[in-house]
PDB file of all heavy atoms in Angstrom:
ATOM      1  N   SER A 429     121.722  90.873  86.047  1.00  0.00           N
ATOM      2  CA  SER A 429     120.786  90.521  84.996  1.00  0.00           C
ATOM      3  C   SER A 429     120.360  91.759  84.241  1.00  0.00           C
ATOM      4  O   SER A 429     120.678  92.888  84.614  1.00  0.00           O
ATOM      5  CB  SER A 429     119.546  89.855  85.603  1.00  0.00           C
ATOM      6  OG  SER A 429     118.838  90.792  86.393  1.00  0.00           O
ATOM      7  N   ALA A 430     119.605  91.555  83.154  1.00  0.00           N
ATOM      8  CA  ALA A 430     119.089  92.691  82.393  1.00  0.00           C
ATOM      9  C   ALA A 430     118.185  93.550  83.257  1.00  0.00           C
ATOM     10  O   ALA A 430     118.201  94.774  83.172  1.00  0.00           O
ATOM     11  CB  ALA A 430     118.340  92.192  81.146  1.00  0.00           C
ATOM     12  N   ARG A 431     117.384  92.901  84.126  1.00  0.00           N
ATOM     13  CA  ARG A 431     116.490  93.678  84.986  1.00  0.00           C
ATOM     14  C   ARG A 431     117.291  94.477  86.004  1.00  0.00           C
ATOM     15  O   ARG A 431     116.980  95.627  86.295  1.00  0.00           O
ATOM     16  CB  ARG A 431     115.525  92.749  85.716  1.00  0.00           C
ATOM     17  CG  ARG A 431     114.422  93.502  86.444  1.00  0.00           C
ATOM     18  CD  ARG A 431     113.451  92.547  87.108  1.00  0.00           C
ATOM     19  NE  ARG A 431     114.062  91.892  88.248  1.00  0.00           N
ATOM     20  CZ  ARG A 431     113.686  90.722  88.721  1.00  0.00           C
ATOM     21  NH1 ARG A 431     112.739  90.047  88.128  1.00  0.00           N
ATOM     22  NH2 ARG A 431     114.275  90.210  89.780  1.00  0.00           N
ATOM     23  N   ASP A 432     118.371  93.883  86.550  1.00  0.00           N
ATOM     24  CA  ASP A 432     119.218  94.611  87.478  1.00  0.00           C
ATOM     25  C   ASP A 432     119.853  95.807  86.801  1.00  0.00           C
ATOM     26  O   ASP A 432     119.961  96.889  87.385  1.00  0.00           O
ATOM     27  CB  ASP A 432     120.311  93.699  88.040  1.00  0.00           C
ATOM     28  CG  ASP A 432     119.739  92.574  88.878  1.00  0.00           C
ATOM     29  OD1 ASP A 432     118.773  92.831  89.599  1.00  0.00           O
ATOM     30  OD2 ASP A 432     120.261  91.451  88.788  1.00  0.00           O
ATOM     31  N   ARG A 433     120.279  95.641  85.538  1.00  0.00           N
ATOM     32  CA  ARG A 433     120.900  96.756  84.828  1.00  0.00           C
ATOM     33  C   ARG A 433     119.903  97.864  84.562  1.00  0.00           C
ATOM     34  O   ARG A 433     120.229  99.046  84.617  1.00  0.00           O
ATOM     35  CB  ARG A 433     121.511  96.259  83.512  1.00  0.00           C
ATOM     36  CG  ARG A 433     122.756  95.389  83.706  1.00  0.00           C
ATOM     37  CD  ARG A 433     123.489  95.210  82.393  1.00  0.00           C
ATOM     38  NE  ARG A 433     122.716  94.395  81.462  1.00  0.00           N
ATOM     39  CZ  ARG A 433     122.830  93.079  81.388  1.00  0.00           C
ATOM     40  NH1 ARG A 433     123.639  92.438  82.195  1.00  0.00           N
ATOM     41  NH2 ARG A 433     122.123  92.394  80.519  1.00  0.00           N
ATOM     42  N   ARG A 434     118.640  97.480  84.271  1.00  0.00           N
ATOM     43  CA  ARG A 434     117.628  98.525  84.063  1.00  0.00           C
ATOM     44  C   ARG A 434     117.391  99.302  85.340  1.00  0.00           C
ATOM     45  O   ARG A 434     117.205 100.517  85.324  1.00  0.00           O
ATOM     46  CB  ARG A 434     116.310  97.887  83.602  1.00  0.00           C
ATOM     47  CG  ARG A 434     116.343  97.284  82.228  1.00  0.00           C
ATOM     48  CD  ARG A 434     114.929  97.115  81.699  1.00  0.00           C
ATOM     49  NE  ARG A 434     114.072  96.366  82.584  1.00  0.00           N
ATOM     50  CZ  ARG A 434     113.947  95.046  82.556  1.00  0.00           C
ATOM     51  NH1 ARG A 434     114.661  94.337  81.705  1.00  0.00           N
ATOM     52  NH2 ARG A 434     113.123  94.420  83.377  1.00  0.00           N
ATOM     53  N   ARG A 435     117.398  98.623  86.466  1.00  0.00           N
ATOM     54  CA  ARG A 435     117.103  99.296  87.737  1.00  0.00           C
ATOM     55  C   ARG A 435     118.236 100.212  88.168  1.00  0.00           C
ATOM     56  O   ARG A 435     118.012 101.214  88.823  1.00  0.00           O
ATOM     57  CB  ARG A 435     116.855  98.248  88.826  1.00  0.00           C
ATOM     58  CG  ARG A 435     115.520  97.542  88.678  1.00  0.00           C
ATOM     59  CD  ARG A 435     115.357  96.510  89.761  1.00  0.00           C
ATOM     60  NE  ARG A 435     114.016  95.959  89.765  1.00  0.00           N
ATOM     61  CZ  ARG A 435     113.620  95.013  90.598  1.00  0.00           C
ATOM     62  NH1 ARG A 435     114.451  94.535  91.486  1.00  0.00           N
ATOM     63  NH2 ARG A 435     112.384  94.562  90.553  1.00  0.00           N
ATOM     64  N   THR A 436     119.485  99.856  87.841  1.00  0.00           N
ATOM     65  CA  THR A 436     120.617 100.634  88.305  1.00  0.00           C
ATOM     66  C   THR A 436     121.118 101.624  87.270  1.00  0.00           C
ATOM     67  O   THR A 436     122.011 102.399  87.560  1.00  0.00           O
ATOM     68  CB  THR A 436     121.782  99.709  88.691  1.00  0.00           C
ATOM     69  OG1 THR A 436     122.137  98.905  87.561  1.00  0.00           O
ATOM     70  CG2 THR A 436     121.386  98.799  89.832  1.00  0.00           C
ATOM     71  N   ALA A 437     120.564 101.641  86.051  1.00  0.00           N
ATOM     72  CA  ALA A 437     120.997 102.603  85.046  1.00  0.00           C
ATOM     73  C   ALA A 437     120.676 104.020  85.536  1.00  0.00           C
ATOM     74  O   ALA A 437     119.675 104.253  86.194  1.00  0.00           O
ATOM     75  CB  ALA A 437     120.292 102.327  83.712  1.00  0.00           C
ATOM     76  N   PRO A 438     121.561 105.043  85.197  1.00  0.00           N
ATOM     77  CA  PRO A 438     122.736 104.921  84.336  1.00  0.00           C
ATOM     78  C   PRO A 438     123.998 104.460  85.060  1.00  0.00           C
ATOM     79  O   PRO A 438     125.023 104.292  84.438  1.00  0.00           O
ATOM     80  CB  PRO A 438     122.910 106.337  83.800  1.00  0.00           C
ATOM     81  CG  PRO A 438     122.415 107.189  84.918  1.00  0.00           C
ATOM     82  CD  PRO A 438     121.292 106.428  85.555  1.00  0.00           C
ATOM     83  N   ALA A 439     123.940 104.323  86.373  1.00  0.00           N
ATOM     84  CA  ALA A 439     125.125 103.875  87.096  1.00  0.00           C
ATOM     85  C   ALA A 439     125.422 102.424  86.751  1.00  0.00           C
ATOM     86  O   ALA A 439     124.520 101.629  86.542  1.00  0.00           O
ATOM     87  CB  ALA A 439     124.912 104.015  88.597  1.00  0.00           C
ATOM     88  N   ARG A 440     126.688 102.067  86.713  1.00  0.00           N
ATOM     89  CA  ARG A 440     127.088 100.703  86.387  1.00  0.00           C
ATOM     90  C   ARG A 440     127.560 100.018  87.658  1.00  0.00           C
ATOM     91  O   ARG A 440     128.308 100.570  88.440  1.00  0.00           O
ATOM     92  CB  ARG A 440     128.205 100.699  85.350  1.00  0.00           C
ATOM     93  CG  ARG A 440     127.738 101.279  84.025  1.00  0.00           C
ATOM     94  CD  ARG A 440     128.830 101.176  82.994  1.00  0.00           C
ATOM     95  NE  ARG A 440     128.300 101.660  81.727  1.00  0.00           N
ATOM     96  CZ  ARG A 440     128.392 100.991  80.606  1.00  0.00           C
ATOM     97  NH1 ARG A 440     128.943  99.807  80.613  1.00  0.00           N
ATOM     98  NH2 ARG A 440     127.925 101.493  79.492  1.00  0.00           N
ATOM     99  N   ARG A 441     127.112  98.779  87.837  1.00  0.00           N
ATOM    100  CA  ARG A 441     127.473  98.018  89.029  1.00  0.00           C
ATOM    101  C   ARG A 441     128.049  96.682  88.598  1.00  0.00           C
ATOM    102  O   ARG A 441     127.561  96.060  87.670  1.00  0.00           O
ATOM    103  CB  ARG A 441     126.244  97.774  89.921  1.00  0.00           C
ATOM    104  CG  ARG A 441     125.646  99.060  90.461  1.00  0.00           C
ATOM    105  CD  ARG A 441     124.377  98.766  91.241  1.00  0.00           C
ATOM    106  NE  ARG A 441     123.791  99.993  91.745  1.00  0.00           N
ATOM    107  CZ  ARG A 441     124.038 100.478  92.947  1.00  0.00           C
ATOM    108  NH1 ARG A 441     124.847  99.830  93.756  1.00  0.00           N
ATOM    109  NH2 ARG A 441     123.472 101.599  93.347  1.00  0.00           N
ATOM    110  N   SER A 442     129.070  96.251  89.290  1.00  0.00           N
ATOM    111  CA  SER A 442     129.648  94.944  88.980  1.00  0.00           C
ATOM    112  C   SER A 442     128.866  93.821  89.633  1.00  0.00           C
ATOM    113  O   SER A 442     129.005  92.670  89.269  1.00  0.00           O
ATOM    114  CB  SER A 442     131.108  94.886  89.454  1.00  0.00           C
ATOM    115  OG  SER A 442     131.176  95.114  90.852  1.00  0.00           O
ATOM    116  N   ARG A 443     128.034  94.171  90.633  1.00  0.00           N
ATOM    117  CA  ARG A 443     127.218  93.173  91.311  1.00  0.00           C
ATOM    118  C   ARG A 443     125.813  93.708  91.452  1.00  0.00           C
ATOM    119  O   ARG A 443     125.615  94.916  91.561  1.00  0.00           O
ATOM    120  CB  ARG A 443     127.804  92.872  92.697  1.00  0.00           C
ATOM    121  CG  ARG A 443     129.151  92.194  92.638  1.00  0.00           C
ATOM    122  CD  ARG A 443     129.886  92.317  93.945  1.00  0.00           C
ATOM    123  NE  ARG A 443     129.157  91.693  95.032  1.00  0.00           N
ATOM    124  CZ  ARG A 443     129.609  91.677  96.284  1.00  0.00           C
ATOM    125  NH1 ARG A 443     130.752  92.216  96.578  1.00  0.00           N
ATOM    126  NH2 ARG A 443     128.897  91.107  97.224  1.00  0.00           N
ATOM    127  N   PRO A 444     124.811  92.834  91.444  1.00  0.00           N
ATOM    128  CA  PRO A 444     123.435  93.311  91.531  1.00  0.00           C
ATOM    129  C   PRO A 444     123.137  93.881  92.904  1.00  0.00           C
ATOM    130  O   PRO A 444     123.763  93.534  93.901  1.00  0.00           O
ATOM    131  CB  PRO A 444     122.598  92.044  91.267  1.00  0.00           C
ATOM    132  CG  PRO A 444     123.488  90.944  91.724  1.00  0.00           C
ATOM    133  CD  PRO A 444     124.888  91.379  91.375  1.00  0.00           C
ATOM    134  N   ARG A 445     122.184  94.783  92.933  1.00  0.00           N
ATOM    135  CA  ARG A 445     121.727  95.336  94.198  1.00  0.00           C
ATOM    136  C   ARG A 445     120.855  94.296  94.887  1.00  0.00           C
ATOM    137  O   ARG A 445     119.834  93.879  94.378  1.00  0.00           O
ATOM    138  CB  ARG A 445     120.923  96.610  93.944  1.00  0.00           C
ATOM    139  CG  ARG A 445     120.366  97.225  95.210  1.00  0.00           C
ATOM    140  CD  ARG A 445     119.555  98.466  94.865  1.00  0.00           C
ATOM    141  NE  ARG A 445     120.393  99.451  94.206  1.00  0.00           N
ATOM    142  CZ  ARG A 445     119.888 100.532  93.607  1.00  0.00           C
ATOM    143  NH1 ARG A 445     118.606 100.742  93.568  1.00  0.00           N
ATOM    144  NH2 ARG A 445     120.693 101.390  93.032  1.00  0.00           N
TER     145      ARG A 445
END
Side-chain angles (χ1 to χ4, degrees):
S429 66
R431 190 178 71 205
D432 295 322
R433 289 193 292 269
R434 292 199 306 271
R435 287 179 172 178
T436 58
R440 296 184 176 231
R441 297 176 181 267
S442 59
R443 293 161 61 180
R445 178 181 299 169

